[in-house]
Each structure stands twice: as structure tokens, then as C-alpha cells.
Amino acid sequence: MTDQTVRAPQTVTRTPRARAEGEEAYLEVTDLHVQFPTADGKVQAVQGLSYALPLRRTLAIVGESGSGKSVSSMAILGLHDRKSTWISGSIKVGGKEVVGMSEKDLMSYRGADAAMIFQDPQSSLHPFFTIGAQITESYRAHHNVSKRAAKARAVDMLGRVGIPNPSRRVDQYPHEFSGGMRQRAMIAMALVNDPKLLIADEPTTALDVTVQAQILDLIADLQRDFGSAVVFITHDLGVVAEIADDILVMYGGNAVEHGPVEKILGSPLHPYSWGLLESIPAVSGTPGPLHPIPGSPPSLLAMPSGCAFHPRCEFRDRVGGDLCRTLKPELIPRTADQGRTSRCHLKEPDKVFETEVLPRLP
Amino acid sequence: MTTTDKSGIKRVAGAPLLELNDVKMHFRTKGEGLLARGTKWVQAVDGVSLTVQPGETLGLVGESGCGKSTTARLITRLLEPTAGEIKYEGVDIAHMSERKLRPYRREIQLIFQDPYSSLNPRHTVGTIVGTALRTHGMVPKGGELKRVQELLEVVGLNPEHYNRYPHEFSGGQRQRIGIARALAARPKIIVADEPVSALDVSIQAQVMNLLENLRKELGIAFVFIAHDLGVVRHFCDRVAVMYLGRMVEEGPRDALYETPQHPYTQALLSAVPDIGVVRGVPPKHRIRLVGDVPSPVDPPSGCRFRTRCWKAEEICATSDPALERKPVGDTVVACHFAEPPVESIVAEAV
Ligand SMILES: Nc1ncnc2c1ncn2[C@@H]1O[C@H](COP(=O)(O)OP(=O)(O)OP(=O)(O)O)[C@@H](O)[C@H]1O
Ligand SMILES: Nc1ncnc2c1ncn2[C@@H]1O[C@H](COP(=O)(O)OP(=O)(O)O)[C@@H](O)[C@H]1O
Ligand code: SF4
Ligand code: SF4
Ligand SMILES: [Mg+2]
Ligand SMILES: [Mg+2]
């Protein structure tokens, strides 16, 4: 017979972390523009994005597909093709300017200062080399060590990301790993050089919830141990609520709202953020009707004038004159609270949220 | 009493609209590696039973590879099951010939996850929906175009856009085209395999509201597959949880979400990230499952969840738990030690 202690599941509870307040920014993006000249015209993927992030803090970037999340993040790693991409503005990482950095400097910058994990592990794991060989190679690119020492490091990293039997697994090929294990291996590879900035682009979107939960714990643990800054791109607001300190909401290539997670998810100030919250059915509480945002996201070839959200916004008539259609709002504090910013002309958005939006959330 | 209508469908009075009894689908595969000899069988679906009443929505959830899509293809008879019964209005269609199936193919429609690949890129929307009307003999007196335009309007598309091609529409709009095509047949039941998973949240909510209106106004029953447990909770009357080809728990929505009895259901629900934490809902105790889902080629003996279950005992390896109602709880569950959550795993999330 088994007793009660054996019968209890192993559980974890994510506790809110102590915030790193008032620290100096490690990542600083200023007025970033990224454009792709194409046959159909100029794709304005990112249009003047600015934000800052200190070490030990997690920023979640949310927004619809095509809103510029991946394009802006790839610019931070210097991953865009120079010939076909036009980039302006500034991206400072640990004081280094990344925009315009030479390919040679980028090579030593990537991996050690900043690293990225992608939604699809296939894109960063090569099918023909063992997992161990790939992690070892990343490590040796930044450290002058023997192959044996580098392999020991690879085994250690695989163990840390929770791969069982790492000394045997290190010699296996990607196809011998399950989807969740490949994701872990990619995280091990991204972290092997202790990067100070980790960018995770929808790292769990393709995974099942139980595996997703493991990966989220893993990223949180590693961040605590390494003290890195993390940019986490996702469209799942549940994930954001559980792991992020700050949120940046993007729409049509720009930030429309930015601030601490409890504030932005608890009482957002931008009509687009309201629309997102009204679109998500909850797993708990009383199920209520959804109120989707009408229409679809804008074409980046022909952005709407003024506020990019105005064609879909039900509050534009509340704003005097033709302001929403003619003048692009600035990303600035809209209430007495200086710790959060939003890009919208609407007066007293906090009151509108309390009285009109909150009562109808699903 | 059994009646046969002019469509050729035999209907048994009082029978459920859809009933699956112990359905199995085993795919033959070649063994892998040098030592593999002979054929192996992927037990993609291995004993699924469910019923759907007219106008009802049954949600199907579970991890990738557990057999949801295979179940969808069995219900719509794109696959012929290895074993078991698939009854539509009381008549077993599991091994029915293609000719006899024709009227059933009209009443049981499938909507796919991927709005891109399920529409022929060389056909206009009018042709796509019109072909469905003709295939099922549903062209009304007023003419094909008029009905096509009506259907486009029902799903929220501009009826004047009937001569446009799929690539001229957004993802959400393409999913609406797929829905219009399904509606052309005037189905009694729609099997929707991840119909909103590929869509952005704001568009996903639009499509869900559309499906909900169709359900209310046309009384269509749904088997609704999704991996998003919030979406399923929103849309379904009843929910079934699958694990490795089997159904492990099934019941009314609120019972399943609030007092799940199967350890796997409890683990699955506890793993869903909840936006409630920022509104002061205390963080939940998440059950940490160890190990991976075993291969459906060589599933564990007895209870298939036992390799990851914290409650497993000897009997779990030797005896296969039946899906049955227990003295307590409102769900049917396949577990020797089923009980409502001991820790208030789910209670805290409310
Ligand atoms: N034609 C086939 N031949 C061999 N194996 C198959 C075939 N179709 C499906 N399978 C296997 O059957 C199992 C169930 O597959 P199915 O597509 O039903 O899963 P699912 O629950 O829909 O998963 P997902 O959530 O990833 O869509 C998987 O292991 C799959 O690889
Ligand atoms: N190399 C490229 N050439 C042209 N357009 C591109 C290129 N890469 C991305 N885009 C476009 O830029 C926009 C933003 O893309 P992305 O940042 O990937 O969006 P997301 O927010 O979904 O990550 C999209 O419209 C995309 O099609
Ligand atoms: S600026 Fe105007 S259109 Fe834009 S979000 Fe605010 S109210 Fe809506
Ligand atoms: S039957 Fe046994 S192994 Fe299976 S879920 Fe129940 S307790 Fe766990
Ligand atoms: Mg992206
Ligand atoms: Mg599937």
C-alpha cells in the first residue's frame, strides 16, 4: 500500500519575483524603424519603437501576427539581411550599439551578450549534427577551451534544462528528441555562453500546455540563476500574466501600451488592449460572451493615417475633431501614473475602462 | 422505430445523433532502425466511446498526438476504423460503402484547422461554396449564386466577394469560407478540428462568436477539437479528455473543469496559464508531470497514463481501468483511484 505522501502530485507554484527596480537599462531600443523594400512597395514592419529593459527583468511583447514582434527582436540580434532590410534608430545592448555593427563584431556579440530562442527548434538545430556537437560549437566560438571541456559543458547544460540522462543524450541527433526536448536543447544552446539578454520568440506556442509549463519554469529558473534580461514574445496573455514583469503591446509596427504587468493586464488604458482582453475566454470564473475587435490588422504596405488602430476602434468618436484619423498619438503617460504609457487620444481612459470595459470582460 | 427518408438515411427514433462505441484505429507502419522487423501498429485511437445529442457540443481535448484528429477523421468516415461502431442516428456507418455513405457525407461536415491548405487556391470563393452545394444536391430554385451569396453573408463575408480567390482573404476570412462551405450542405453535425487555433486572438473571438450563432440559430451539433482549454470551455456543453488514444474522462463542462477526477485531467488543467493571477487570483499549484508521452506504437500495459501518474499502483499496470461513473463526481472517468482533486488545485483557480 502507498501512503498519502506518495499519492500527492509533485506541484510547483510560480511565486512573484522580487523586482529589480530603478536599475539601469541593459537593453535600450530607441526610435527603431525596420523596413523591407518589396515589389509591392515598402513594408514598414517596425515604425519608431522605443523601450528599455534592465537586467533581471522580463518584458513580454504581445500583439497580433504581423505587428512587428519578431522583426524588431531579430534586429536586436543583428539577424536581418543588410541588403534587403533598411534599419534606422538605435539599439544599445550593454552599452554597445547594434545598429550598423560589423558582421565580425556581431559574431562575438551574439551568444555572449544576447541570444535568441525561436518558436521552431528546427530553425536553430541542424538535423545532421548531434545535439552535443552543436552546443559544443557554440561554446567554443566564445571560449578557448578543449573539445572535451566544451562537451562537459554541453552535458552540464543539458542537465540544467532538465534533459534526463544528459551524458547519453548529448550524442543523439535532433530527430531522436521529442518536441519538448528539442525546445530544451535549443534553450541549452542559447544559454551555454551565459548571455545577459535572452530573447524568446514564442518559444512555447507549438507545445502542449504541460510541456509549456515546464519550459516556462525553466526560463524563470535560468533567469534567476544568471541574472539576465529576458524579452518574451507571445500572444498568450495567460503566459504573460505568469512570467512577465512588464508588457509592451504592439500594434501595426509600434508600441501602443507599455508598463508593469499587473497594471496593463489589470487595468489597461488602450482600446486595443481592451479588445484583446475581451477576446480571450477564461479557464476559470463564469464564462461570459466575447467581444471581438471588428475588422482585421492593417496592411503594413498601407498603414492607416493618424492612429493605426482607428479603423477598428469603437472609441474614436469620443475623441474631439478628427484627431484619431489625422494625428498619430504619442506613447506617453495618460493618467497620474507616470510608470506606464499608452498611445491614444482618449481622455480619462482609466475611467472609461472602469465603467464601460471592465463590466463586460469575459 | 426506424424510418428511411428520401435522402437514403435510416434513422432510429430516440437514438443519439452520433455514438462511438469502443472505436479503434490502428495504422500500419514500418519499424524503425536496423533491427526492426516486420510491421508495427500505431494505436492512434484505441477504444474511444462517445455520444452527441442533436444540437449539442462536445469538446475534445488532449496533448498533441493523442488521437483527436484521427477521431475527427473517423467520425467523418475519411477513415474506416479497425474496430468498433460509429453510429449516426442509430445506424452503424463504420464499414458502410462509399455509395451508401453519400447522404451521410452531407449531414456530417468537417472544418479544418488550416484555412490556407483546405481551400483550392485556383478556385474562386463562389466556385468553392457552389461546388459544395452541387455535390450535396443543395442548389435551391433561386439558383446557385444567390445561395452562395446568402451563405457568405451568414458567415460575415461580403456577398459581393464571391468571385475573389482565397489568397485575397485574411486567415480569419478564409476560415469563414471553410465554414460557409460546410454550411452549404445543411449539416446536422460539424466536426471542427482546431478551427480557431491558427488565428490571432481578436480574429479567433470573431470566428468563435460566428460558430456560436450558427449553433444557436441552426441547431447544429458540434464535435469541437481544440488544445486551448479556455476556448473549449467557452464553446462546449460537454468535454472529453483523451490521452494516448483513449478517452480518460468525459462529463458536463463545469464538472470537468471544476472537479476533474482523472489525474491527467487535473494535471492538464493545472498547467494552463491563467490571466487571473494579475487580478489577485492566487497562483495555482501546478502539477508537474514527469517524462514524455509514451509512443502509441508500444503503449504501456493497463492504464496508459501510469508511466507519468503519481498515484499509480500495481493494479494500474495489470488492469485497464474502464471509463465509468464513480460513486462521487459528475464525470465518467477511467482510473482505478479516481477522486475529485484532493489539493484544491482547481478550486483555487475559480
Ligand atoms: N496515417 C497514419 N499513419 C500512421 N500513424 C498515424 C497516421 N495518422 C495519425 N497517426 C498517428 O496517430 C497518433 C494520433 O494522431 P492524431 O493526428 O489523431 O493526433 P492529434 O490528437 O490530432 O494531435 P495534434 O494535437 O498534434 O493535432 C499520432 O501518434 C500520429 O502520429
Ligand atoms: N524579409 C522580409 N521581407 C518583407 N517583409 C517582411 C520580412 N520579414 C518580415 N516581414 C513583414 O514584416 C511584418 C512584421 O513581421 P513580424 O515581426 O514577423 O510579425 P510578428 O509580430 O508576427 O512577429 C509582417 O508583415 C511580415 O510579413
Ligand atoms: S487614438 Fe483614437 S482611434 Fe486610436 S485607440 Fe485611441 S481612441 Fe481609438
Ligand atoms: S488508473 Fe492508476 S495509473 Fe491510471 S490514472 Fe488512475 S491511478 Fe493513475
Ligand atoms: Mg513572429
Ligand atoms: Mg490534430
Side-chain angles (χ1 to χ4, degrees):
Chain A
M1 287 307 292
T2 351
D3 59 45
Q4 274 297 322
T5 45
V6 180
R7 280 280 204 101
Q10 193 189 349
T11 63
V12 273
T13 311
R14 255 181 230 121
T15 44
R17 277 155 296 146
R19 283 271 170 74
E21 292 287 0
E23 268 190 53
E24 201 187 320
Y26 180 72
L27 165 66
E28 214 169 347
V29 177
T30 316
D31 199 26
L32 179 69
H33 290 256
V34 183
Q35 304 183 347
F36 304 100
T38 67
D40 298 329
K42 198 166 55 178
V43 175
Q44 305 186 18
V46 180
Q47 307 169 13
L49 181 65
S50 302
Y51 66 86
L53 181 66
L55 292 176
R56 279 181 284 283
R57 231 170 138 93
T58 300
L59 170 75
I61 302 187
V62 301
E64 283 170 290
S65 63
S67 58
K69 307 182 296 294
S70 300
V71 167
S72 56
S73 307
M74 283 166 71
I76 296 172
L77 271 280
L79 290 172
H80 289 294
D81 176 30
R82 275 156 208 271
K83 289 195 212 79
S84 59
T85 317
W86 187 87
I87 301 182
S88 75
S90 158
I91 300 171
K92 283 217 168 91
V93 177
K96 292 178 195 161
E97 177 59 59
V98 182
V99 174
M101 191 184 266
S102 73
E103 202 55 49
K104 184 166 152 284
D105 289 347
L106 277 176
M107 293 294 263
S108 63
Y109 154 80
R110 274 186 221 128
D113 296 296
M116 187 152 175
I117 49 184
F118 298 88
Q119 173 171 356
D120 172 18
Q122 247 78 0
S123 59
S124 26
L125 291 176
H126 196 291
F128 297 161
F129 297 98
T130 63
I131 298 283
Q134 300 186 51
I135 299 177
T136 307
E137 191 192 296
S138 295
Y139 191 59
R140 299 213 333 154
H142 292 276
H143 296 86
N144 192 8
V145 295
S146 68
K147 275 197 177 147
R148 176 182 296 210
K151 184 160 177 185
R153 170 79 180 171
V155 172
D156 177 44
M157 286 308 295
L158 288 178
R160 298 209 43 181
V161 299
I163 303 260
N165 232 322
S167 49
R168 186 171 64 81
R169 292 289 191 169
V170 74
D171 292 319
Q172 291 187 335
Y173 291 88
H175 74 87
E176 296 175 78
F177 278 39
S178 72
M181 280 164 66
R182 277 200 288 267
Q183 203 69 19
R184 283 163 192 266
M186 183 164 69
I187 293 172
M189 192 155 93
L191 295 179
V192 70
N193 295 305
D194 299 344
K196 284 264 174 305
L197 170 65
L198 177 67
I199 298 179
D201 190 352
E202 311 218 21
T204 60
T205 303
L207 302 175
D208 286 313
V209 280
T210 56
V211 186
Q212 163 171 289
Q214 296 168 349
I215 301 286
L216 295 181
D217 286 341
L218 175 64
I219 293 176
D221 287 353
L222 294 168
Q223 179 182 33
R224 198 173 35 237
D225 297 354
F226 292 110
S228 331
V230 174
V231 174
F232 198 101
I233 301 174
T234 176
H235 57 256
D236 185 333
L237 294 184
V239 170
V240 173
E242 293 209 354
I243 62 143
D245 301 307
D246 298 320
I247 308 188
L248 183 85
V249 182
M250 286 189 76
Y251 188 80
N254 224 323
V256 294
E257 185 154 17
H258 185 196
V261 69
E262 321 78 39
K263 290 181 182 171
I264 309 294
L265 291 185
S267 56
L269 301 179
H270 196 282
Y272 174 64
S273 312
W274 298 342
L276 285 182
L277 287 183
E278 291 180 84
S279 297
I280 298 172
V283 271
S284 56
T286 325
L290 305 177
H291 302 278
I293 307 170
S296 41
S299 156
L300 298 177
L301 287 165
M303 284 297 291
S305 60
C307 168
F309 188 57
H310 88 255
R312 302 175 75 188
C313 183
E314 63 169 296
F315 295 93
R316 61 170 180 246
D317 298 335
R318 306 274 187 92
V319 177
D322 211 5
L323 223 50
C324 294
R325 212 175 46 77
T326 52
L327 182 70
K328 180 172 173 175
E330 296 287 321
L331 185 70
I332 51 170
R334 298 283 161 179
T335 56
D337 183 356
Q338 296 295 306
R340 55 190 305 188
T341 53
S342 123
R343 195 185 285 283
C344 170
H345 295 303
L346 194 62
K347 292 265 170 352
E348 302 193 314
D350 43 348
K351 298 221 171 71
V352 179
F353 176 76
E354 286 295 329
T355 55
E356 298 178 44
V357 182
L358 189 59
R360 66 180 196 198
L361 286 186
Chain B
M1 197 186 74
T2 309
T3 53
T4 308
D5 61 22
K6 63 178 191 302
S7 69
I9 293 188
K10 227 189 254 163
R11 305 181 201 267
V12 178
L17 181 64
L18 178 74
E19 185 177 359
L20 268 58
N21 282 324
D22 205 15
V23 170
K24 299 186 178 178
M25 186 71 230
H26 295 182
F27 295 103
R28 188 205 298 260
T29 58
K30 291 254 159 53
E32 274 178 30
L34 290 173
L35 294 174
R37 284 272 168 86
T39 47
K40 294 203 164 167
W41 297 90
V42 181
Q43 306 179 18
V45 166
D46 195 46
V48 162
S49 302
L50 55 85
T51 53
V52 181
Q53 300 296 344
E56 195 179 43
T57 47
L58 174 72
L60 215 52
V61 302
E63 285 175 289
S64 182
C66 70
K68 305 180 296 294
S69 296
T70 305
T71 304
R73 290 161 66 208
L74 286 163
I75 295 171
T76 49
R77 274 301 321 275
L78 297 176
L79 289 171
E80 184 175 350
T82 313
E85 290 177 324
I86 302 173
K87 285 185 178 168
Y88 183 78
E89 301 209 49
V91 174
D92 190 1
I93 61 168
H95 306 286
M96 211 174 245
S97 70
E98 199 52 44
R99 193 178 53 81
K100 281 200 171 150
L101 269 176
R102 279 194 67 173
Y104 292 92
R105 295 221 181 281
R106 180 179 79 68
E107 295 199 1
I108 312 171
Q109 286 288 314
L110 181 62
I111 302 178
F112 300 90
Q113 164 170 5
D114 187 358
Y116 304 88
S117 65
S118 66
L119 302 172
N120 187 331
R122 284 186 300 273
H123 288 171
T124 64
V125 172
T127 311
I128 290 170
V129 179
T131 306
L133 284 172
R134 269 176 278 124
T135 308
H136 300 296
M138 285 287 153
V139 182
K141 284 216 178 66
E144 187 180 308
L145 180 60
K146 185 159 164 279
R147 178 70 183 142
V148 166
Q149 291 190 316
E150 267 171 33
L151 285 165
L152 293 182
E153 191 138 31
V154 167
V155 299
L157 292 171
N158 185 338
E160 297 310 314
H161 290 174
Y162 65 90
N163 53 2
R164 297 199 178 179
Y165 290 89
H167 75 260
E168 296 175 70
F169 294 89
S170 69
Q173 289 173 324
R174 281 183 250 208
Q175 194 54 285
R176 290 172 192 270
I177 301 170
I179 295 169
R181 176 176 57 185
L183 291 179
R186 293 189 190 273
K188 284 199 175 171
I189 181 166
I190 292 180
V191 180
D193 190 359
E194 309 253 10
V196 296
S197 307
L199 307 174
D200 273 316
V201 278
S202 74
I203 309 298
Q204 173 177 308
Q206 294 174 359
V207 173
M208 280 178 52
N209 279 1
L210 167 64
L211 292 174
E212 211 162 308
N213 287 340
L214 297 177
R215 177 163 85 102
K216 286 196 192 119
E217 282 161 25
L218 307 175
I220 300 172
F222 277 87
V223 174
F224 187 92
I225 299 174
H227 62 262
D228 184 327
L229 289 143
V231 166
V232 170
R233 179 170 182 266
H234 184 84
F235 191 69
C236 300
D237 306 318
R238 281 166 46 235
V239 179
V241 183
M242 288 183 72
Y243 184 82
L244 208 55
R246 292 268 167 87
M247 224 144 99
V248 296
E249 185 161 12
E250 193 269 331
R253 177 193 60 196
D254 291 345
L256 194 112
Y257 277 77
E258 278 151 36
T259 49
Q261 302 192 74
H262 195 283
Y264 177 65
T265 315
Q266 293 171 356
L268 196 64
L269 284 170
S270 80
V272 180
D274 191 354
I275 191 171
V277 291
V278 297
R279 303 211 185 103
V281 177
K284 26 181 184 183
H285 300 293
R286 186 153 33 71
I287 299 171
R288 191 172 242 178
L289 283 184
V290 283
D292 283 323
V293 183
S295 159
V297 174
D298 189 20
S301 64
C303 172
R304 294 183 159 199
F305 186 56
R306 73 178 164 85
T307 54
R308 301 170 81 196
C309 183
W310 61 93
K311 284 184 175 177
E313 294 191 23
E314 254 169 56
I315 184 179
C316 304
T318 51
S319 152
D320 206 344
L323 187 69
E324 61 192 11
R325 193 165 294 283
K326 303 284 177 181
V328 290
D330 292 322
T331 60
V332 288
V333 55
C335 170
H336 296 302
F337 304 105
E339 59 189 340
V342 247
E343 288 204 40
S344 47
I345 303 160
V346 179
E348 272 187 36
V350 175

